[in-house]
Amino acid sequence: MKRKKVKSLAFFYISPSLFFFATIGSIMNDPEINKLIAEEKKRQKKVINLIASENYVSKDVLKALGSELTNKYAEGYPGKRYYGGNEIVDKIERLAQKRAREVFKLSPKKWHVNVQALSGSPANLSVYTALIPQGGKIMGMSLDHGGHLTHGHKVSATGKFWKQVPYGVDRKTERLDYEVLMKIAKKEKPNIIVAGFTAYPRKIEWKKFREIADSCGAYLMVDMSHIAGLVAGGVHSSPFKYADVVTTTVHKTLRGPRSAIIFSKDDERELGKKIDKAIFPGLQGGPHINQIASVAVALKEAKSPEFKKYAKQILANAKSLSDELKKLGWRIVSGGTDNHLLLVDTFKNGVTGSEASDKLEKEGIIVNKNTIPNDPRSPMDPSGIRIGTAGETTRGKKEKDMINIARRIDNILKK
Ligand code: DSN
């Protein structure tokens, strides 16, 4: 079928030029979807995107995602498939596993890697399925303090099949209090402790989490989805020295496709074998090979020296944004940020999280409403917003741009 070629779209004002709307090779023979994709591209291009869990992938990541690899069924694992014709697919999956270890400096003798989880939620579900008896206990941060649904929240399958032992941050400091966590762990004796957050702006002391897990004989699972790119870029400490299992999505600071990776310590407990079984045949069917190839591409990019600079810039940008908002009179939860995100207590200045998010969106700034620790309001209209800098850093923004963004946010919210 003849396809109309269109010119590559020009680059948005960025370095590295590799990223973001880099090219459109051809249009599809489906005018409706084609039009909607074009509209979404335009929307993405137009806005300032401060969603802490989003990013912009390279054209190579997109190419792998949109490749013929999507045609292949590959139930099983490399060398042990249920369908023929998988010799190339095996190489792709092995390469993704190898690169995953390289990015996080892991020995193949010590760490098992599964790259088949379709995203973060199934990755976490598979770990519990593999390691925790039904009815067992998951100690995870409550959602309203910055945890995640899959850390045992009651509306998630993880809170239906297992019981959550929740923990939060200290009321005054709005930071983790490891002594309190230790007390909870000793009292409740959870089967697994989850260290990992979607809205915690501070560094995490992995060693302390290890000690807490050891105090009650629990597994330590780190869900580093939000900060994986910061760990890969060497600007956040690595959890691998202390964790039994590390899960991560690939699409946040790590700047890859929607997907997830599960790392597990390779020792006599055979965690990897159990987790592999939980993924397939336990919870999923055939892996998405196009997605796995795309993960491999992103991981190669994350090994580059440019990525280290990128990770450093994400932090500098978050700090700049946070400092300027503070100067302008906004309360930042915990007083600031050590990572890629900050939480603003907008309600302190009389604006609810929903109002703030709506007002900003009307002016082309995209954030998400978010609960703040001990929020007196409901999650549908909480007291704050979450702001992240990974996406705009990919688009080449620097500290001074963040100061301007903070001033725009201030103007819009004070209107
Ligand atoms: N929903 C994601 C976030 O925004 O943090 C986590 O899965």
Side-chain angles (χ1 to χ4, degrees):
M1 219 180 285
K2 233 179 153 191
R3 276 166 197 270
K4 252 200 210 162
K5 281 275 174 197
V6 293
K7 273 194 193 145
S8 287
L9 274 193
F11 300 91
F12 201 48
Y13 58 95
I14 49 158
S15 73
S17 53
L18 183 65
F19 290 95
F20 200 51
F21 307 115
T23 182
I24 302 173
S26 62
I27 56 170
M28 294 182 296
N29 293 312
D30 181 334
E32 281 160 292
I33 288 294
N34 201 59
K35 182 168 169 282
L36 291 170
I37 292 176
E39 282 174 13
E40 171 58 13
K41 271 180 158 162
K42 204 169 150 198
R43 186 201 67 80
Q44 288 189 15
K45 210 167 168 180
K46 222 171 52 187
V47 300
I48 291 173
N49 181 11
L50 300 174
I51 302 277
S53 47
E54 292 181 8
N55 213 326
Y56 300 100
V57 298
S58 70
K59 64 180 177 185
D60 289 347
V61 166
L62 282 182
K63 267 190 189 161
L65 265 183
S67 69
E68 291 73 7
L69 295 170
T70 198
N71 298 335
K72 190 68 196 102
Y73 241 118
E75 282 179 0
Y77 288 96
K80 289 172 281 177
R81 306 280 186 188
Y82 288 82
Y83 296 75
N86 274 308
E87 68 278 12
I88 297 155
V89 159
D90 279 3
K91 287 184 193 163
I92 291 171
E93 188 164 343
R94 286 195 174 113
L95 186 56
Q97 291 168 319
K98 177 172 168 283
R99 288 183 181 172
R101 287 194 194 93
E102 286 167 359
V103 166
F104 296 103
K105 301 183 176 56
L106 306 175
S107 154
K109 289 196 189 103
K110 294 194 180 143
W111 286 89
H112 181 83
V113 182
N114 185 306
V115 289
Q116 292 195 4
L118 301 178
S119 206
S121 294
N124 289 350
L125 181 60
S126 77
V127 175
Y128 310 140
T129 304
L131 307 182
I132 312 300
Q134 269 196 36
K137 291 181 181 176
I138 300 167
M139 179 166 153
M141 193 189 255
S142 333
L143 189 61
D144 56 347
H145 278 236
H148 187 254
L149 286 167
T150 59
H151 298 171
H153 192 281
K154 62 179 190 299
V155 301
S156 145
T158 64
K160 295 189 196 300
F161 303 143
W162 300 277
K163 184 178 176 303
Q164 188 191 41
V165 174
Y167 64 89
V169 293
D170 179 71
R171 191 170 270 278
K172 228 169 148 189
T173 62
E174 296 173 312
R175 295 178 190 225
L176 292 166
D177 179 336
Y178 295 93
E179 279 177 27
V180 171
L181 266 62
M182 178 71 96
K183 278 188 197 144
I184 299 174
K186 281 185 174 165
K187 180 167 175 266
E188 295 285 346
K189 299 195 175 23
N191 303 74
I192 193 163
I193 296 179
V194 183
F197 316 99
T198 64
Y200 185 67
R202 295 303 186 175
K203 284 204 164 144
I204 303 152
E205 296 192 43
W206 308 120
K207 188 167 180 268
K208 292 208 168 138
F209 266 105
R210 179 73 262 165
E211 288 163 8
I212 294 164
D214 286 344
S215 78
C216 60
Y219 290 110
L220 177 59
M221 172 178 130
V222 171
D223 176 350
M224 64 168 185
S225 295
H226 264 268
I227 54 165
L230 306 179
V231 175
V235 296
H236 203 296
S237 65
S238 169
F240 285 95
K241 195 170 160 199
Y242 301 106
D244 298 300
V245 178
V246 177
T247 61
T248 184
T249 49
V250 187
H251 46 275
K252 299 182 175 91
T253 49
L254 199 49
R255 204 162 61 182
R258 302 295 309 251
S259 192
I261 308 175
I262 308 167
F263 301 88
S264 50
K265 265 220 172 110
D266 208 353
D267 54 28
E268 64 294 342
R269 295 174 296 174
E270 300 193 311
L271 307 179
K273 210 169 157 185
K274 293 174 189 163
I275 291 168
D276 280 357
K277 266 195 191 160
I279 286 277
F280 175 81
L283 297 163
Q284 294 185 179
H288 298 183
I289 301 302
N290 55 325
Q291 192 187 25
I292 290 173
S294 172
V295 167
V297 173
L299 290 169
K300 184 164 187 233
E301 291 169 2
K303 283 194 297 174
S304 68
E306 289 74 35
F307 196 87
K308 285 197 167 53
K309 283 190 209 150
Y310 166 65
K312 214 169 149 196
Q313 190 65 51
I314 295 177
L315 294 195
N317 284 352
K319 187 167 178 338
S320 171
L321 191 49
S322 167
D323 287 351
E324 188 63 19
L325 282 171
K326 242 164 57 175
K327 261 194 226 160
L328 294 166
W330 294 92
R331 190 181 89 79
I332 309 299
V333 168
S334 83
T337 177
D338 301 326
N339 59 22
H340 63 301
L341 66 84
L342 47 138
L343 276 179
V344 189
D345 177 359
T346 53
F347 196 57
K348 180 111 202 296
N349 293 5
V351 190
T352 71
S354 295
E355 281 164 4
S357 156
D358 291 348
K359 276 181 158 184
L360 291 169
E361 182 159 2
K362 278 195 191 109
E363 301 288 336
I365 298 180
I366 312 296
V367 300
N368 66 277
K369 60 184 176 223
N370 217 97
T371 51
I372 61 168
N374 301 301
D375 204 320
R377 301 182 56 82
S378 84
M380 280 316 291
D381 192 9
S383 297
I385 53 173
R386 185 183 67 165
I387 295 181
T389 54
E392 288 303 319
T393 306
T394 293
R395 298 167 89 183
K397 297 249 170 53
K398 297 276 183 341
E399 290 94 319
K400 62 176 185 341
D401 303 305
M402 294 295 142
I403 292 175
N404 289 334
I405 292 175
R407 290 180 183 162
R408 274 188 67 187
I409 292 175
D410 177 62
N411 272 331
I412 295 165
L413 295 188
K414 280 183 180 159
K415 259 187 217 162

